[in-house]
Amino acid sequence: RAQAAAAVERLHGVTRQRFLTDIYPRRKPVVLTGLELGACTTKWTTDYLSQAEGSKEVKIHVSAVPQMDFLSKNFVYRTLPFDVFVRRAAEVKHKEYFLTEDEKYYLRSVGEDVRKDIADIRKQFPTLAEDVHIPEYFEKEQFFSSVFRISSAGLQLWTHYDVMDNFLIQVTGKKRVVLYSPRDAPYLYLSGSKSEVLDVDNPDLEKYPLFVKAKRYQCFLEAGDVLFIPALWFHNVISEEFGVAVNVFWKHLPAESYDKTDTYGNKDPMAASRAIQILDRALKTLEELPEEYRDFYARRMVLRIQEKAYRNDYG
């Protein structure tokens, strides 16, 4: 079984000043409660949502199983009018469906042109955007995107990290979020920014033996809660009820550090991508040596990386 979880700290009524001076520099997740989020927390019923944005088409994920897996792509993309999608996502059993009568739905809003435009609730869902007051605990020019999300009850998103800091604002419904520190990356069996370990509650330890070493943090979000997820922290999200959330991402590093073609906020910083390419070339070069030498010099390279680049102040 997965290990017991450490609770994520919950703090009430945190001001912008306190967030920036006391909480933000610690680079740890925290749940902020009692913030002023606007009318959305009371207004956003399924009826209101359907009427507010009408029948414009949205592209959604449809999954026959609750655990969505980005690596094996065990879901399909479909398009529905927004009002139809909202009603379906709120149902448990469907009269009309794509795959099965108990399929799950998930909307992650995107820009008009996914390759060029970022998600911005003010542009894609202007009527709903008027109901939301986003806590501006960062400078306006740092803003990257505001992602509108709707999930069926029971839907679980794969474990992944983002390269930007973000607030997950739970507007309606409940979520459970499991998090892992960036320093536990060696135990998460990564494929790009995603973990191969789908079931974080009952992991296959024969396949993923090191996973038990990853320290699990956990929180439950109620309507009106805001979870601060620092960049590089891994997170796995289950929607315990049908719910609506808004995710706000902002640039924690200087703007030029980020990949200009990144519309999702999940491409590694430019310097990291270059370093990984250089490392891949170095490893290719090592293949010119016999196995015994390759092993010896690879270990020396690892030691050098640890010595030059690892932090030694991780508590």
Side-chain angles (χ1 to χ4, degrees):
R1 293 224 5 113
Q3 56 159 281
V8 173
E9 192 176 9
R10 292 177 72 87
L11 297 170
H12 188 75
V14 170
T15 61
R16 181 180 199 262
Q17 190 53 43
R18 186 180 164 209
F19 179 75
L20 290 175
T21 51
D22 297 350
I23 297 160
Y24 197 53
R26 291 189 301 197
R27 313 295 303 151
K28 288 212 170 141
V30 62
V31 178
L32 306 172
T33 64
L35 298 185
E36 180 44 61
L37 300 175
C40 55
T41 48
T42 48
K43 245 171 127 173
W44 285 7
T45 60
T46 45
D47 286 344
Y48 174 75
L49 289 168
S50 320
Q51 284 168 344
E53 296 290 350
S55 59
K56 70 165 179 197
E57 304 249 289
V58 285
K59 190 179 181 185
I60 53 169
H61 302 66
V62 182
S63 179
V65 294
Q67 255 171 5
M68 277 171 56
D69 179 1
F70 193 81
L71 297 172
S72 74
K73 295 281 197 297
N74 67 347
F75 51 85
V76 294
Y77 292 104
R78 292 289 180 265
T79 305
L80 279 177
F82 183 74
D83 50 357
V84 175
F85 157 68
V86 169
R87 297 202 177 285
R88 279 215 215 166
E91 303 167 341
V92 178
K93 284 266 188 281
H94 313 294
K95 287 194 177 65
E96 292 178 45
Y97 50 85
F98 297 107
L99 307 170
T100 65
E101 62 173 10
D102 54 1
E103 65 194 14
K104 309 284 183 197
Y105 298 93
Y106 172 58
L107 167 71
R108 184 242 189 253
S109 67
V110 291
E112 303 314 315
D113 178 340
V114 183
R115 290 183 302 279
K116 291 197 211 118
D117 304 324
I118 55 149
D120 186 339
I121 190 172
R122 293 166 298 190
K123 290 180 184 158
Q124 287 101 37
F125 298 92
T127 313
L128 295 177
E130 288 173 19
D131 302 334
V132 188
H133 179 262
I134 288 168
E136 294 191 350
Y137 287 15
F138 48 89
E139 299 301 325
K140 278 207 172 16
E141 60 274 14
Q142 288 179 286
F143 171 83
F144 174 72
S145 65
S146 50
V147 181
F148 184 60
R149 298 181 191 270
I150 296 184
S151 305
S152 292
L155 184 84
Q156 183 169 17
L157 269 188
W158 53 87
T159 305
H160 67 284
Y161 70 86
D162 299 295
V163 300
M164 292 184 200
D165 291 341
N166 78 84
F167 279 150
L168 173 55
I169 302 166
Q170 191 63 25
V171 180
T172 69
K174 293 179 181 174
K175 280 199 175 90
R176 183 197 78 173
V177 186
V178 171
L179 302 112
Y180 300 95
S181 157
R183 66 179 300 196
D184 282 343
Y187 315 130
L188 297 179
Y189 297 87
L190 297 186
S191 176
S193 63
K194 298 156 191 76
S195 167
E196 289 177 20
V197 186
L198 268 197
D199 192 338
V200 294
D201 298 307
N202 295 292
D204 179 343
L205 295 178
E206 281 190 10
K207 199 172 176 186
Y208 308 115
L210 294 176
F211 184 70
V212 289
K213 294 187 171 189
K215 183 176 177 182
R216 174 185 174 123
Y217 295 81
Q218 184 169 289
C219 61
F220 293 89
L221 301 181
E222 306 268 341
D225 287 349
V226 177
L227 172 61
F228 167 53
I229 307 176
L232 310 184
W233 272 77
F234 295 87
H235 43 288
N236 176 292
V237 182
I238 291 185
S239 296
E240 301 204 319
E241 302 171 341
F242 164 76
V244 185
V246 179
N247 237 170
V248 186
F249 291 85
W250 68 90
K251 297 175 179 176
H252 163 60
L253 306 176
E256 61 276 10
S257 309
Y258 299 99
D259 188 326
K260 295 279 182 289
T261 66
D262 185 7
T263 55
Y264 281 91
N266 60 5
K267 288 191 178 177
D268 291 317
M270 303 289 278
S273 298
R274 286 200 307 276
I276 288 166
Q277 285 170 352
I278 294 164
L279 176 63
D280 285 340
R281 286 205 297 275
L283 292 169
K284 192 97 190 98
T285 310
L286 277 188
E287 286 173 17
E288 295 168 22
L289 294 166
E291 189 180 25
E292 186 186 347
Y293 283 76
R294 198 164 63 231
D295 178 276
F296 175 71
Y297 287 103
R299 287 172 195 274
R300 283 194 57 192
M301 283 164 71
V302 169
L303 287 170
R304 188 145 178 186
I305 289 172
Q306 285 177 337
E307 194 184 302
K308 297 275 185 198
Y310 275 29
R311 284 173 62 174
N312 54 13
D313 60 342
Y314 261 141

